[in-house]
Amino acid sequence: MTLFIADLHLCSEEPAITAGFLRFLAGRAREADALYILGDLFEAWIGDDDPELLHRQIALAIKDLVDSGVPCFFIHGNRDFLLGKRFALLSGMTLLPEEKIVELYGRKILLLHGDTLCTDDHGYQAFRKKVHQPWLQWLFLALPLFIRKRVAAKMRADSKASNSSKAMAIMDVNPHAVIDALERHQVQWMIHGHTHRPEIHPISANGKPAFRCVLGAWHTQGSMIKVTAEDVELIPFSF
């Protein structure tokens, strides 16, 4: 089996989620052929040089999983898109592009965080385009750490305020964007996170049945998708 998770939003203010993730890495994840983390592992990321103890704790726990024989792969989310090679090396994770096709047990599956599918949220998409410019990321990472912390805190506050006034439908995926992604990659399966709306949606793409599998966020319980030769299951579980 192969496991998928997303949207843990780990931070020092939520120790129960961290503890639940550490138990997951030491337990369920050990039985997998591989683990894929589809973004927003952390609530915020201001650079691999951030000395936050939580980051090292998580990196070493993931490295322990990888050393046990379970490879771990990571796609950046909208909260941790600056996570870089230094953390990947420490944790043993393999960084993937924002869209990745994997073939598992006879199924070709498109993996992504999911924010690029929310095309009706024009304000967010404009912001995303701006902050993904390499020169701007380089400039931000060159700032002193205390300034980066202030900038990140203000951005989180602005994002929370902005989202509170948006219609829920705007922050969900656009159906046409989903079909376009499936047909562009010629696949019938998609797994993503970001929207925090766990569900497996049967749809149609490429003239055939298709499925959009959405991971839940780790707020009060864990959420994973288990892919085996027989099935694709969305599984909530207690911390």
Side-chain angles (χ1 to χ4, degrees):
M1 67 175 179
T2 298
L3 300 180
F4 299 83
I5 59 174
D7 300 294
L8 284 76
H9 296 273
L10 297 176
C11 60
S12 56
E13 293 78 18
E14 296 285 354
I17 300 176
T18 298
F21 181 51
L22 294 175
R23 281 193 289 272
F24 170 80
L25 292 176
R28 294 168 183 260
R30 299 288 169 130
E31 304 167 8
D33 296 327
L35 173 66
Y36 288 82
I37 303 173
L38 304 186
D40 286 1
L41 174 61
F42 294 98
E43 172 66 8
W45 195 267
I46 58 173
D48 287 10
D49 59 334
D50 185 350
E52 170 64 57
L53 292 177
L54 172 67
H55 299 168
R56 181 171 178 81
Q57 179 186 23
I58 295 301
L60 295 179
I62 294 173
K63 184 65 163 60
D64 194 48
L65 174 69
V66 172
D67 288 345
S68 77
V70 181
C72 184
F73 303 91
F74 180 80
I75 289 180
H76 294 92
N78 56 296
R79 296 282 188 172
D80 49 20
F81 61 88
L82 288 175
L83 190 148
K85 294 179 181 178
R86 179 171 162 183
F87 183 84
L89 184 64
L90 182 62
S91 65
M93 293 195 306
T94 299
L95 302 181
L96 300 178
E98 66 179 37
E99 294 185 350
K100 176 68 176 178
I101 303 294
V102 295
E103 187 156 354
L104 299 172
Y105 322 110
R107 296 183 189 88
K108 286 178 67 177
I109 305 173
L110 170 61
L111 309 177
L112 66 169
H113 176 57
D115 58 332
T116 54
L117 301 171
C118 301
T119 55
D120 293 328
D121 192 344
H122 302 299
Y124 169 72
Q125 293 301 332
F127 169 78
R128 186 185 190 280
K129 183 177 181 180
K130 181 187 300 183
V131 299
H132 276 74
Q133 296 181 80
W135 69 268
L136 189 60
Q137 293 183 5
W138 179 87
L139 190 63
F140 176 78
L141 292 172
L143 293 171
L145 194 64
F146 77 95
I147 295 180
R148 279 181 270 158
K149 286 183 177 179
R150 290 179 185 174
V151 172
K154 184 172 189 310
M155 288 172 64
R156 287 201 302 277
D158 290 348
S159 174
K160 187 175 182 179
S162 174
N163 288 343
S164 67
S165 63
K166 291 178 182 176
M168 292 299 290
I170 288 178
M171 295 187 289
D172 202 355
V173 301
N174 177 289
H176 299 293
V178 171
I179 301 303
D180 176 68
L182 289 168
E183 295 188 343
R184 181 159 33 89
H185 291 285
Q186 289 293 294
V187 296
Q188 305 307 116
W189 289 87
M190 169 189 289
I191 299 177
H192 71 82
H194 181 66
T195 62
H196 302 185
R197 302 178 186 188
E199 189 65 71
I200 295 182
H201 301 273
I203 52 178
S204 179
N206 301 300
K208 295 178 288 187
F211 299 89
R212 178 171 69 92
C213 309
V214 190
L215 286 154
W218 288 42
H219 291 318
T220 58
Q221 62 180 357
S223 177
M224 69 179 183
I225 286 175
K226 181 172 75 171
V227 178
T228 63
E230 295 76 30
D231 203 2
V232 176
E233 299 175 81
L234 174 63
I235 303 173
F237 58 93
S238 169
F239 288 152

